[in-house]
Amino acid sequence: MSEALKTVGETLIDLLEVNDVDVVFGIPGVHTVELYRGLAASNIRHVTPRHEQGAGFMADGYARVSGKPGVCLVITGPGLTNIITPMAQAYQDSVPMLVISGVNARATLGHGRGRLHELPDQRGMIATLALLSHTLHDPEDLTEVMERAFAILRSGRPGPVHIEIPTDVMGARIKAPRLRNIVRLRPRADAATINEAASLCLTAKRPVTLVGGGAVSAANDILRLAERLDAPLVTTTNARGAFARHPLSVPASPSLNAVRRLIADADLVLAFGTQMSQTDYDMHVDNGFPELDNLIRIDIDALQLTRGPKAISILSSAENAATDLLAAIGAGTRRQTEGASRAEMTRQAALAELAPKMCVEIGILDAVRDALPGAIIVGDSTQAVYAGNLYYEAGRPHGWFNAATGYGALGYGTPAAIGAAIAEPETPVVCLTGDGGLQFTLAEIGSAKDAGADVIFLVWNNDGYQEIETYMVDNGIEPEGVKPSAPDFLKIAEAYGLPSIRLTHVDELPAALQKFRQIKGPSLIEIHQTKTVGATA
């Protein structure tokens, strides 16, 4: 009997499927059609954006909410260059993303003969912002390369991985491989390191816990540890909602003076899964974050532990470190360090620092959360999002994320919200975007309609790039280039078949959200900063 053969493209789909991939985002082209050969017969859903940048941001939002890698299929050349921005955002925010691209036929690579979609060195270009970038020269290497990709995506600090397949390799027939799901491997610290940290925890009189986006999956164990130590829980932007409304929760940025005072006063700071980077710890670039000589830092990435403040370093997944510390500390009586009162005072002082305009914007975020319990708010770079990054308590883990951290790419919100809605189709998803940022990826509203994604696009219209205009004025610069005109977003929504409303008063927001939540598919609500009553202080 002859041995079963499949094309590389068909085998690729099998390998994705066995590794729990249920959605791929991409735009097919002549240079990738062979990768699609087995897709229709699989259980994998294909979502088509309007632009490869949209594919990448959709994969990002999907990955953050589902916990699985977001997978994209893009053509060689412009398809790959279009997705570079989402890959950079994923790299900075540690989001697992698998980008599979075409590349020209093997015999043509490096010759510069002007082939369609040719780049001088496509893999070399992308390797600077991928955890792995590999060219599949030998069709028989496909299984090994894919297993390596999933090992990287699941076992260390996540980020983007790139595999390019030459057009003459895609259709090559190979032996059907043995399919296996790649096991997730997570580092664990040695007992001596854990015991040293546990001893410091047991003697601390004013402990504080910092929790970043890399530790959200360990939230339950970290909460148990914080309760044992009576330690306030300060969450960075990507960790908001992990401890929603708990008395120890401090949903405020370490860029705020009140939070910095809490941290500076601590005699022990436990930091789980946080880069301790500028966009969370020094948002105003004032270099005011306190020097710490009592920091224990837990991270899955050894290299990351060498960056930032000096600390006792624990190389471990957040889950393993939290459970190991709990075991080492023991199940004795809960320690009393006035943690809840320290957290409450910090919450009040942090809010008091904010300008009245920001407090209004945070109130609108609270209205969204309360009108749609369990909602996910996906943001772009707009003023209300910046306010929320400084102070906002999301209602659930992964209930608040946006592009105003890390790489900071405008246009993120719309497609990322679509990805989030695809990951959790029963969950309310609200995309908070500005009139400027929305126009970066405006066409993806059509993708939301095609995909049946239940996203409410909440447009914060301030007639341009208001954040940049304010910064210019504050620094004595005559504003220029900050007033791009916007379309009538309600007419745009109508053109795509979306129900929409422009609010006359912010008090109308809860009812509008609840109304559109009952409608299948996307919808749009506009708040105008000066024309909607109550939108500004």
Side-chain angles (χ1 to χ4, degrees):
M1 181 180 292
S2 61
E3 198 165 29
L5 297 177
K6 284 189 173 185
T7 68
V8 165
E10 291 171 318
T11 307
L12 172 71
I13 299 302
D14 290 342
L15 291 166
L16 292 175
E17 199 166 23
V18 78
N19 279 286
D20 301 323
V21 174
D22 51 16
V23 182
V24 296
F25 304 91
I27 302 174
V30 170
H31 286 66
T32 53
V33 289
E34 279 296 337
L35 301 181
Y36 281 74
R37 186 174 292 278
L39 192 57
S42 76
N43 293 316
I44 298 175
R45 177 184 181 184
H46 184 273
V47 175
T48 307
R50 297 299 193 266
H51 190 282
E52 287 90 357
Q53 179 173 282
F57 286 146
M58 287 179 193
D60 179 302
Y62 171 88
R64 294 189 198 228
V65 172
S66 71
K68 300 179 181 181
V71 180
C72 301
L73 298 177
V74 298
I75 65 166
T76 183
L80 190 60
T81 55
N82 283 344
I83 207 171
I84 282 178
T85 297
M87 290 180 71
Q89 184 80 41
Y91 186 93
Q92 289 283 60
D93 277 357
S94 304
V95 176
M97 181 185 297
L98 176 58
V99 176
I100 301 169
S101 77
V103 71
N104 285 317
R106 289 168 290 182
T108 72
L109 297 180
H111 289 290
R113 293 171 180 155
R115 297 279 177 151
L116 182 63
H117 301 330
E118 186 176 53
L119 285 166
D121 182 0
Q122 181 172 285
R123 195 207 66 79
M125 175 193 70
I126 213 73
T128 59
L129 51 85
L131 303 180
L132 167 72
S133 182
H134 183 89
T135 306
L136 189 72
H137 291 285
D138 186 343
E140 298 293 342
D141 289 342
L142 176 65
T143 302
E144 178 186 338
V145 171
M146 290 295 291
E147 289 182 351
R148 190 184 311 156
F150 277 102
I152 291 170
L153 289 163
R154 289 176 175 163
S155 297
R157 180 186 174 194
V161 169
H162 168 239
I163 298 171
E164 61 180 18
I165 304 178
T167 53
D168 61 320
V169 172
M170 294 177 187
R173 302 185 74 81
I174 59 175
K175 261 190 326 185
R178 180 173 66 90
L179 302 175
R180 65 186 185 121
N181 187 297
I182 300 305
V183 177
R184 187 185 193 202
L185 301 173
R186 311 295 270 176
R188 184 166 231 135
D190 61 274
T193 301
I194 291 295
N195 288 335
E196 179 187 4
S199 296
L200 292 171
C201 289
L202 287 168
T203 58
K205 294 181 172 57
R206 298 180 309 282
V208 168
T209 309
L210 307 179
V211 183
V216 175
S217 60
N220 290 338
D221 286 327
I222 292 173
L223 178 58
R224 288 172 57 212
L225 179 63
E227 288 175 338
R228 275 284 291 115
L229 301 178
D230 202 22
L233 290 152
V234 177
T235 46
T236 67
T237 297
N238 286 328
R240 295 290 172 77
F243 314 105
R245 301 187 182 183
H246 191 279
L248 292 173
S249 176
V250 180
S253 171
S255 297
L256 294 173
N257 291 328
V259 182
R260 289 174 170 180
R261 286 194 297 270
L262 173 72
I263 295 168
D265 184 58
D267 57 356
L268 179 69
V269 178
L270 272 171
F272 283 89
T274 171
Q275 295 181 45
M276 303 192 76
S277 60
Q278 182 192 70
T279 52
D280 275 310
Y281 290 81
D282 195 17
M283 195 182 298
H284 302 121
V285 199
D286 59 9
N287 297 312
F289 188 76
E291 294 285 337
L292 301 176
D293 56 7
N294 51 5
L295 175 64
I296 298 175
R297 194 168 174 198
I298 297 111
D299 204 279
I300 201 169
D301 183 1
L303 185 59
Q304 191 61 36
L305 288 170
T306 68
R307 302 178 177 126
K310 293 182 180 179
I312 295 173
S313 297
I314 299 180
L315 179 62
S316 173
S317 69
E319 297 95 326
N320 287 340
T323 55
D324 290 348
L325 282 169
L326 277 165
I329 288 169
T333 305
R334 172 174 164 169
R335 305 191 66 234
Q336 298 297 321
T337 69
E338 299 182 338
S341 63
R342 288 188 291 139
E344 173 63 18
M345 285 190 296
T346 303
R347 289 193 296 266
Q348 292 182 9
L351 268 176
E353 279 184 56
L354 302 179
K357 178 178 178 298
M358 281 192 167
C359 292
V360 169
E361 292 161 353
I362 292 166
I364 290 171
L365 299 179
D366 290 343
V368 174
R369 179 198 61 209
D370 296 343
L372 301 175
I376 298 169
I377 302 179
V378 183
D380 213 299
S381 292
T382 192
Q383 288 189 311
V385 167
Y386 286 115
N389 284 351
L390 283 171
Y391 192 107
Y392 171 63
E393 181 74 286
R396 51 156 285 174
H398 302 300
W400 172 262
F401 59 89
N402 54 75
T405 61
Y407 199 57
L410 267 175
Y412 170 89
T414 302
I418 296 169
I422 289 169
E424 284 193 19
E426 302 305 315
T427 298
V429 176
V430 176
C431 171
L432 178 56
T433 181
D435 55 299
L438 177 56
Q439 290 184 79
F440 271 58
T441 48
L442 184 60
E444 300 303 349
I445 289 177
S447 303
K449 180 70 173 179
D450 290 348
D454 291 334
V455 178
I456 300 173
F457 296 102
L458 180 56
V459 184
W460 188 270
N461 190 340
N462 54 25
D463 295 320
Y465 302 137
Q466 186 66 49
E467 188 75 20
I468 305 303
E469 182 177 355
T470 300
Y471 187 86
M472 285 177 150
V473 171
D474 289 346
N475 286 274
I477 300 168
E478 184 72 22
E480 187 64 55
V482 292
K483 290 292 187 184
S485 61
D488 184 325
F489 290 113
L490 270 63
K491 290 182 178 177
I492 293 289
E494 180 183 1
Y496 279 113
L498 274 63
S500 62
I501 187 173
R502 181 176 292 119
L503 302 186
T504 57
H505 197 292
V506 293
D507 288 350
E508 300 166 355
L509 179 59
L513 289 166
Q514 290 164 357
K515 173 185 175 182
F516 286 154
R517 174 60 183 151
Q518 303 307 313
I519 299 172
K520 295 299 293 179
S523 53
L524 184 145
I525 299 171
E526 181 183 295
I527 294 176
H528 195 284
Q529 186 169 282
T530 58
K531 298 176 183 176
T532 300
V533 178
T536 189

